[in-house]
Amino acid sequence: MRVQPDAVFVPLNIAVLTVSDTRTYDNDTSGELLASRSLEVGHRLVARALLKDDLYKIRAQVATWIADDQVQVVLITGGTGFTGRDSTPEAVECLLDRRIDGFGELFRALSILDIGSSTVQSRALAGMANGTLVCCLPGSTGACRTAWEGILAEQLDARHRPCNFVKHLKPIGACGSRG
């Protein structure tokens, strides 16, 4: 990671949503990876939920977090594939003020090293809404690890240069938390 010498780490408030018809909190390794990696680097886990793959329930939960003044980042795992039940992109995209096209492009470029041409079926995406970064990742733990290590760890760190998402996020509390 390229770090600016005088920059300081800014802890972010992160919410993690797992979308799955089969997982429970006991076997949700993908949501757990995103939550634990966030905490390990110094961010705060302010919410965590697990929902069945239902477009309107996903949309309602994400909209609630986008409107919450305490949530700066929403990480969603699951529901981004091609099965009939996968609806995370459709649930989330209409909530975004601005889509971050490079997120999905970079995720697929990184993912090809692990899963080859199957990466074309990934509908990973990200965008900004109300000063909240929303990232939709595949449900596999490997995919979440790829996204964390290849994109999120740096882009959620105010010290990363030449740019990161921290300065674009809504401030928290009276002092704010922009980097």
Side-chain angles (χ1 to χ4, degrees):
M1 172 170 33
R2 287 179 261 159
V3 176
Q4 184 171 335
D6 61 342
V8 293
F9 180 80
V10 176
L12 301 175
N13 288 352
I14 297 178
V16 174
L17 172 62
T18 299
V19 175
S20 176
D21 289 339
T22 58
R23 293 191 185 169
T24 66
Y25 285 108
D26 291 335
N27 64 12
D28 176 20
T29 55
S30 298
E32 181 58 33
L33 180 132
L34 295 171
S36 64
R37 293 284 172 97
S38 297
L39 293 169
E40 286 168 9
V41 298
H43 298 304
R44 295 177 287 262
L45 183 66
V46 295
R48 185 164 173 201
L50 194 150
L51 295 174
K52 299 279 186 213
D53 203 327
D54 178 287
L55 184 140
Y56 296 102
K57 289 180 182 177
I58 297 165
R59 186 175 293 160
Q61 181 61 73
V62 174
T64 297
W65 284 340
I66 289 168
D68 187 331
D69 292 336
Q70 297 304 307
V71 177
Q72 295 171 292
V73 178
V74 175
L75 302 178
I76 306 167
T77 174
T80 62
F82 269 99
T83 72
R85 297 277 303 150
D86 290 323
S87 61
T88 299
E90 291 79 12
V92 172
E93 197 160 22
C94 66
L95 299 173
L96 302 176
D97 299 327
R98 179 175 287 175
R99 190 169 164 152
I100 303 166
D101 294 326
F103 182 90
E105 294 166 1
L106 179 55
F107 175 79
R108 285 180 284 280
L110 295 169
S111 180
I112 197 167
L113 301 174
D114 292 326
I115 64 170
S117 67
S118 294
T119 194
V120 300
Q121 292 191 29
S122 169
R123 299 188 303 142
L125 67 94
M128 295 292 294
N130 190 37
T132 305
L133 175 65
V134 180
C135 301
C136 303
L137 309 169
S140 81
T141 305
C144 290
R145 185 177 299 107
T146 296
W148 183 268
E149 293 172 359
I151 304 171
L152 296 170
E154 291 181 347
Q155 288 300 303
L156 299 180
D157 190 332
R159 302 169 297 179
H160 179 72
R161 296 297 183 253
C163 59
N164 60 73
F165 286 116
V166 177
K167 68 181 178 182
H168 302 292
L169 303 176
K170 61 185 150 193
I172 301 298
C175 297
S177 67
R178 291 191 180 177

